Amino acid sequence: ILLLVSAGAVSLLLQINGVNRVKQENLVQQQRSETSSIIRDLEVGFFSKYRDFLIGLAESQFIAEAFPSDIDSVNQALDIALKSTNAEIAYVLDVKGICRASIGEGQLASQMVGESYEFRPYFTQAMQDNQYVGFASGVTTGRIGVYFSAPLHSESGIVGVLVLKAAPAYLSRTLQAKQLPYALVTKNNVVIAGNREEWLYSGLYPLTEMLLERLSQTRQYEGLQLTSKGILPAGFNPQENGSVSVYMQPLSVMGWKLVSIADPHTDAFLYPQQRGFFIKSSVFLLLIILTATALFVTYYTRSSLKTDLRKLYAAVEQSPETVLMTDTKGRIEYVNSSFERLTGYSSSEALGKTPALFKSGHHDREFYKRLWDTISSGKKWKGEIYNSRKDGSLYWESVLISPVKDEQGHTISYVAFKDDITEQKVRQEAVNHRARVDGLTQVLNRRSGLEVLYRSIAQCASNGSNVTVGFVDVNGLKVVNDTFGHAAGDALIKSVSNGIKQHIRESDSLARLGGDEFLIILPGCTRARAEAIWKKIEEAFAGGIEEGGETYNVSASVGFSELSELNDHSELDIESIPRELIRMADERMYHRKQLMKSK
């Protein structure tokens, strides 16, 4: 008995160690997955959006040719930039750093005209013919923001600097949507956004007094309460400081990085299926110990053996889990009361049958072959099975099957522990649906749409096929919102979404990027074919859209880009190709929208 207790204690310690190890592995996997997802959202939805538009506008020569002689034309271009990107302020500096034109919210933008910004890094970098992205507090406006700058060229050289200032709210919203702690850190190791309020304007590691003094002298953080404390201790080493799990990944923005810091010991990182498995393993271990104990005391008293066996039988019979035993050929030899309640079959109906009695047709032959190959080799099998009850209703169950062996190690039977997880699967499916689908239009949301695009491009790379991407912008939504209210605007967005879905294939995908912007993903389709499909959509929109008794005369602009157009861009990596396709489609959509306005 002492040996059995010792073995049980050792098994329990191993079980606890296994739980902690699984928690840590789950956390690291979740950190890697969520960090990559956040970076894709930030790169495509924020940094690439502003940076690509700024570069395109700077290289278009329109502002460079109009500046500084025609300030009205420059202001018109800046106004277009403001509306296209939702930037806070757009302005142009001359070669001395003096603001000559500025467009933005309220009177703050006009107050910038005539002010000098020659000390700003975004000006000095652009004058060195470099593009710049940085975080700073506005000298004139007093508002924090992310600054994007690019030089304006003419035949004589650099004639000025184009600047877009974006509010950092998108960065904070993206991080606050996550449960794990995240911080966005600049190249100076200063936290500028995160979902932990106490981290803001702290350092990744404690900031030295010398660095704080230098940062204050650059005026980049003027008016902000920088603190020397760090969210990680100085000289932090994940191998030595194992109390927290830290995962960092760089962005493409001038040395910025995304940092995740979490405690790996919380039960939140143990999934329900894993928790159920450890519980089942513990129950199975207890049953083995009880069985071994009962056999051991047989040497002393047969009466005690009978008593213990009755207790063991009662424990199994009254267990809330379904217990099923078969012989080595799979014929059922025993089921407990929970089995009858779960499946609807009585013990007399099940005995002598095989588990094929419960097949629902959901799993293929290869699934059952792998299961039997595992247990017939003497190993345990755990997984989820979709089965059918006697009345034909379907249910999901979590299953642990273990071979029962004799003293020589030969398998003499199999015992299965089952748990009904149907309700859990339904909840999980609902959560997954909400996470993937846009709540208004019921099409894919931005994140899911980008994931589909990444998978489509990867599939094209493996089989040599093609994919076309469409960037759609609804025209006239602002007029509907201003005239009839946002409820009518939402109804209009839903109608446009439904109109597009009616004309694309089931294999195609439609995602709402946000506001009135949509992304169409057309695998195996050329750009010419996509244009033909869009003509049908435009014809459907030609008579207006009826919603709530009103007819809205609206239209939508689209731009298409084709993967085969990037064959000559060998310098693009797999992460950059989706952004480039979206940028090309967005640019063509913008040109088409301008052409429609001119007509």
Side-chain angles (χ1 to χ4, degrees):
I1 292 177
L2 182 60
L3 290 174
L4 289 174
V5 172
S6 300
V10 171
S11 299
L12 181 61
L13 291 175
L14 293 175
Q15 188 90 326
I16 295 173
N17 182 62
V19 170
N20 292 330
R21 186 174 67 253
V22 169
K23 286 182 184 178
Q24 294 176 353
E25 291 173 353
N26 289 346
L27 172 58
V28 172
Q29 181 179 5
Q30 184 174 352
Q31 284 180 307
R32 290 178 178 174
S33 175
E34 285 193 0
T35 300
S36 299
S37 173
I38 293 172
I39 288 181
R40 283 200 302 270
D41 287 347
L42 295 181
E43 293 282 11
V44 176
F46 187 82
F47 293 109
S48 294
K49 172 183 176 182
Y50 284 97
R51 186 167 48 198
D52 294 347
F53 188 91
L54 178 77
I55 295 171
L57 190 60
E59 293 177 352
S60 67
Q61 296 295 308
F62 179 84
I63 295 181
E65 292 174 0
F67 180 79
S69 58
D70 188 0
I71 296 299
D72 288 339
S73 297
V74 173
N75 283 335
Q76 291 177 4
L78 294 180
D79 186 60
I80 293 175
L82 211 65
K83 294 177 179 177
S84 300
T85 62
N86 293 324
E88 184 177 294
I89 298 177
Y91 52 101
V92 180
L93 310 177
D94 62 20
V95 294
K96 294 183 179 180
I98 305 299
C99 181
R100 297 301 184 188
S102 178
I103 295 293
E105 301 175 356
Q107 300 179 352
L108 293 175
S110 60
Q111 294 175 4
M112 297 175 60
V113 177
E115 296 290 331
S116 174
Y117 299 91
E118 62 177 347
F119 56 86
R120 282 299 202 185
Y122 58 74
F123 170 75
T124 57
Q125 287 292 321
M127 289 302 296
Q128 296 175 17
D129 205 15
N130 297 320
Q131 299 158 13
Y132 176 86
V133 181
F135 174 87
S137 174
V139 176
T140 305
T141 64
R143 298 178 180 176
I144 60 174
V146 180
Y147 291 80
F148 299 79
S149 69
L152 295 172
H153 293 89
S154 69
E155 296 180 358
S156 59
I158 297 177
V159 298
V161 176
L162 176 62
V163 184
L164 290 179
K165 177 185 178 183
Y170 181 90
L171 306 178
S172 299
R173 286 198 305 270
T174 302
L175 300 183
Q176 289 169 359
K178 304 297 181 181
Q179 293 182 350
L180 289 178
Y182 283 98
L184 189 61
V185 184
T186 67
K187 65 179 181 180
N188 293 317
N189 282 335
V190 176
V191 178
I192 62 168
N195 53 10
R196 294 297 184 271
E197 185 175 346
E198 65 275 13
W199 286 358
L200 194 60
Y201 305 132
S202 302
L204 176 59
Y205 304 101
L207 302 178
T208 64
E209 295 299 329
M210 182 181 300
L211 179 58
L212 283 175
E213 178 67 21
R214 183 174 66 81
L215 293 178
S216 63
Q217 291 177 356
T218 62
R219 302 179 67 180
Q220 181 180 6
Y221 299 92
E222 187 174 12
L224 303 180
Q225 298 297 320
L226 294 182
T227 174
S228 61
K229 68 179 182 180
I231 61 178
L232 286 176
F236 176 83
N237 186 329
Q239 295 179 348
E240 298 176 0
N241 305 75
S243 58
V244 293
S245 176
V246 180
Y247 186 77
M248 300 183 192
Q249 190 166 335
L251 285 84
S252 63
V253 185
M254 300 185 68
W256 291 15
K257 50 185 170 284
L258 184 66
V259 183
S260 171
I261 305 173
D263 180 6
H265 298 296
T266 175
D267 286 337
F269 301 114
L270 193 63
Y271 301 138
Q273 296 90 337
Q274 296 169 338
R275 188 179 296 112
F277 168 71
F278 285 118
I279 292 174
K280 292 180 179 66
S281 299
S282 299
V283 172
F284 179 73
L285 179 62
L286 176 61
L287 290 174
I288 295 298
I289 293 176
L290 289 175
T291 303
T293 303
L295 293 174
F296 180 79
V297 298
T298 301
Y299 293 100
Y300 298 96
T301 172
R302 295 187 62 85
S303 61
S304 297
L305 173 62
K306 293 178 180 180
T307 302
D308 289 340
L309 287 177
R310 281 196 297 268
K311 290 181 180 178
L312 177 60
Y313 175 80
V316 174
E317 189 66 21
Q318 298 173 21
S319 171
E321 287 189 334
T322 297
V323 179
L324 179 148
M325 295 188 69
T326 73
D327 61 17
T328 55
K329 296 184 180 299
R331 291 187 293 265
I332 299 174
E333 295 180 329
Y334 169 79
V335 294
N336 67 348
S337 300
S338 294
F339 167 87
E340 297 179 339
R341 291 192 295 270
L342 176 63
T343 66
Y345 290 100
S346 65
S347 60
S348 60
E349 291 174 312
L351 294 179
K353 305 292 194 309
T354 68
L357 180 66
F358 321 119
K359 279 188 177 180
S360 64
H362 178 78
H363 306 285
D364 57 17
R365 295 180 60 184
E366 185 62 27
F367 173 84
Y368 293 106
K369 182 179 183 300
R370 289 195 301 268
L371 185 156
W372 278 102
D373 287 346
T374 300
I375 61 176
S376 61
S377 65
K379 300 178 182 178
K380 297 178 184 178
W381 183 92
K382 62 179 183 297
E384 297 175 353
I385 302 179
Y386 199 39
N387 275 338
S388 174
R389 297 185 177 91
K390 182 179 179 180
D391 61 6
S393 61
L394 303 176
Y395 65 99
W396 279 100
E397 59 182 0
S398 177
V399 182
L400 171 65
I401 304 175
S402 178
V404 179
K405 301 179 181 181
D406 59 16
E407 296 178 352
Q408 288 73 37
H410 300 140
T411 299
I412 57 175
S413 62
Y414 300 103
V415 59
F417 300 90
K418 303 183 176 186
D419 189 20
D420 185 1
I421 59 170
T422 306
E423 184 177 347
Q424 174 185 316
K425 295 284 285 188
V426 171
R427 288 198 303 269
Q428 184 63 41
E429 182 63 27
V431 171
N432 293 339
H433 179 77
R434 289 195 296 270
R436 287 179 47 81
V437 174
D438 175 62
L440 176 63
T441 62
Q442 296 303 303
V443 300
L444 296 178
N445 57 22
R446 166 186 286 273
R447 175 181 174 182
S448 298
L450 294 176
E451 289 177 351
V452 170
L453 178 55
Y454 272 85
R455 288 198 300 269
S456 297
I457 293 173
Q459 185 175 7
C460 291
S462 63
N463 59 23
S465 60
N466 192 24
V467 63
T468 295
V469 174
F471 192 97
V472 181
D473 183 85
V474 179
N475 304 320
L477 178 63
K478 185 176 186 301
V479 175
V480 173
N481 282 332
D482 294 344
T483 307
F484 301 100
H486 287 279
D490 289 346
L492 174 60
I493 288 293
K494 292 168 62 177
S495 297
V496 171
S497 171
N498 292 333
I500 296 175
K501 284 194 295 184
Q502 291 175 2
H503 290 85
I504 61 177
R505 304 165 300 181
E506 291 187 2
S507 59
D508 301 332
S509 299
L510 175 65
R512 185 186 180 202
L513 298 179
D516 56 357
E517 294 178 344
F518 292 88
L519 182 68
I520 306 176
I521 304 169
L522 305 167
C525 183
T526 63
R527 182 179 167 193
R529 174 59 180 159
E531 294 285 357
I533 295 173
W534 185 255
K535 285 185 179 180
K536 296 180 180 179
I537 297 175
E538 285 184 326
E539 292 173 359
F541 291 160
I545 295 177
E546 293 187 3
E547 188 68 41
E550 297 286 347
T551 299
Y552 305 117
N553 295 318
V554 299
S555 62
S557 299
V558 69
F560 290 105
S561 60
E562 186 177 342
L563 180 61
S564 59
E565 297 179 77
L566 301 180
N567 288 339
D568 296 333
H569 293 65
S570 58
E571 71 280 2
L572 294 176
D573 54 37
I574 190 63
E575 295 292 331
S576 303
I577 290 176
R579 295 197 296 269
E580 181 64 17
L581 285 174
I582 294 175
R583 185 197 66 76
M584 291 168 58
D586 186 14
E587 184 178 87
R588 289 167 180 167
M589 180 279 296
Y590 175 77
H591 288 314
R592 181 174 291 187
K593 182 185 287 285
Q594 296 303 312
L595 181 61
M596 292 177 66
K597 288 183 179 180
S598 67
K599 293 182 179 182

